[in-house]
Amino acid sequence: MNGATTAAYLARRAAQKERVRILYRRALKDTLNWAVHRHLFYQDASDLREKFEANKHVEDLDTIDKMIAAGEATYDKWRHPDPYIVPWAPGGSKFTRNPVPPSGIEIVNKGLEDP
Amino acid sequence: MSLRAAVLRHIRLPVQTLPAIGSRPQSQLSFLRLFSSHDDHLTKEEVIDRVLDVVKSFPKVEPSQVTPDVHFQKDLGLDSLDNVEIVMALEEEFKLEIPDKEADKIDSCNLAIEYIYNHPMAG
C-alpha cells in the first residue's frame, strides 16, 4: 500500500480505466451484434453492465490487470463473425466504393470517343 | 340547402393572413429538397437538437438539466461507463462509426456536438 497517490500509480490507474472503457464499448457493440432484437439487447446490455459494476470497487492494481486481461479474452472469444459496420467505414459495404479519382486526370469530351 | 349553408357559415373558421414566406429564411430552407447528397450537411441546430434528445432520453439523466454545454460526468453525475453508453447511442442516432480513441475523449455535450457537426458522414 505504498504510494497511494503517486504519479505512477495514478498513471497506471488511468491507463486501466481507459482499457476498461474501451473494453466495455467493444463488448457493448458485440452484444448489439449478437442480440438481433432490441429487447434482447437491452437485457444483455444490462447483464454486461452488472458484470462490470460488480468489480468496480477493486483497488489492487494487479488484480485489476488480471481482470481486464480476462475480460478481453472473453471478448475475443465472443466476437461476432459478421459485425454490423456502418457502410462507409472501413469494413463496411460502401467503403471505397466510389473513390475520389486521382488529381491531374482530365475527362475530355465526357469520355465519349467521337468528337 | 339553406340550412346547410347556415351550418357551414356557423362553423367556418376565420381566415388568417399567413406571414410572408421570405420573412423566415430558416423555414424556407426546410422546403428545399437537396437531391444530391454531396453537400447537404446537418445544420448546427439539428445536431444540437438531436444530441440533446438522445441525452435526455437516457434513463439515468434528468431531462431538465441537459443543456448544450453540460458535462456528462461532472454536471449530470454519470459514470464513465454511462459515458460510453451515451456515445454509443449517439453513434446509433447519427449512423456514425467513431474510432475507440476518439470516442473515449467525448466527455460533454459540447465535444459531442462539435465532433458530429464536423464529421463529413453524419447522417
Side-chain angles (χ1 to χ4, degrees):
Chain A
M1 298 294 282
N2 51 350
T5 49
T6 50
Y9 173 84
L10 285 175
R12 244 182 107 181
R13 275 307 285 266
Q16 281 174 347
K17 284 182 189 173
E18 189 178 329
R19 274 177 80 184
V20 168
R21 284 199 294 266
I22 292 185
L23 176 64
Y24 181 62
R25 184 178 148 81
R26 289 194 183 151
L28 202 55
K29 283 196 172 169
D30 220 30
T31 318
L32 187 56
N33 280 328
W34 279 114
V36 180
H37 301 288
R38 198 76 187 184
H39 63 278
L40 296 171
F41 164 63
Y42 287 139
Q43 187 62 41
D44 290 341
S46 46
D47 288 341
L48 176 72
R49 180 69 195 255
E50 255 150 57
K51 280 190 210 147
F52 271 79
E53 293 275 327
N55 299 326
K56 201 162 122 169
H57 58 277
V58 178
E59 294 285 341
D60 183 27
L61 290 180
D62 295 323
T63 325
I64 297 179
D65 274 337
K66 285 189 201 131
M67 279 189 196
I68 296 179
E72 283 174 356
T74 322
Y75 164 70
D76 277 333
K77 186 175 130 186
W78 279 100
R79 274 173 77 169
H80 196 280
D82 186 23
Y84 172 73
I85 304 178
V86 177
W88 48 262
S93 56
K94 215 165 139 184
F95 184 57
T96 62
R97 185 184 280 189
N98 284 323
V100 178
S103 62
I105 294 215
E106 215 184 282
I107 298 185
V108 177
N109 194 18
K110 294 183 274 185
L112 299 168
E113 287 182 3
D114 301 331
Chain B
M1 185 65 192
S2 63
L3 175 65
R4 182 168 170 268
V7 168
L8 282 175
R9 216 178 303 125
H10 183 65
I11 62 174
R12 182 168 295 152
L13 298 168
V15 171
Q16 293 167 343
T17 48
L18 297 167
I21 294 182
S23 64
R24 284 185 299 149
Q26 190 57 36
S27 68
Q28 188 179 25
L29 274 178
S30 68
F31 296 137
L32 257 182
R33 283 284 306 274
L34 294 160
F35 285 98
S36 107
S37 59
H38 174 64
D39 48 355
D40 72 332
H41 298 298
L42 294 174
T43 59
K44 193 92 182 231
E45 288 153 18
E46 270 187 28
V47 174
I48 295 181
D49 283 337
R50 282 164 75 177
V51 167
L52 290 185
D53 277 339
V54 166
V55 178
K56 279 179 198 171
S57 59
F58 199 66
K60 295 181 194 168
V61 157
E62 282 227 15
S64 53
Q65 279 185 340
V66 176
T67 69
D69 28 62
V70 90
H71 194 276
F72 296 141
Q73 293 186 28
K74 292 182 200 149
D75 296 331
L76 296 174
L78 294 178
D79 208 5
S80 58
L81 297 183
D82 291 326
N83 203 344
V84 171
E85 286 181 12
I86 288 188
V87 171
M88 266 210 58
L90 287 172
E91 274 192 346
E92 285 192 323
E93 166 74 20
F94 289 96
K95 299 196 257 263
L96 290 176
E97 180 91 8
I98 308 180
D100 289 337
K101 294 281 176 182
E102 303 276 323
D104 211 26
K105 293 185 193 127
I106 295 184
D107 249 351
S108 63
C109 272
N110 259 336
L111 282 174
I113 293 170
E114 282 299 318
Y115 187 87
I116 294 172
Y117 184 62
N118 293 329
H119 203 286
M121 303 291 310

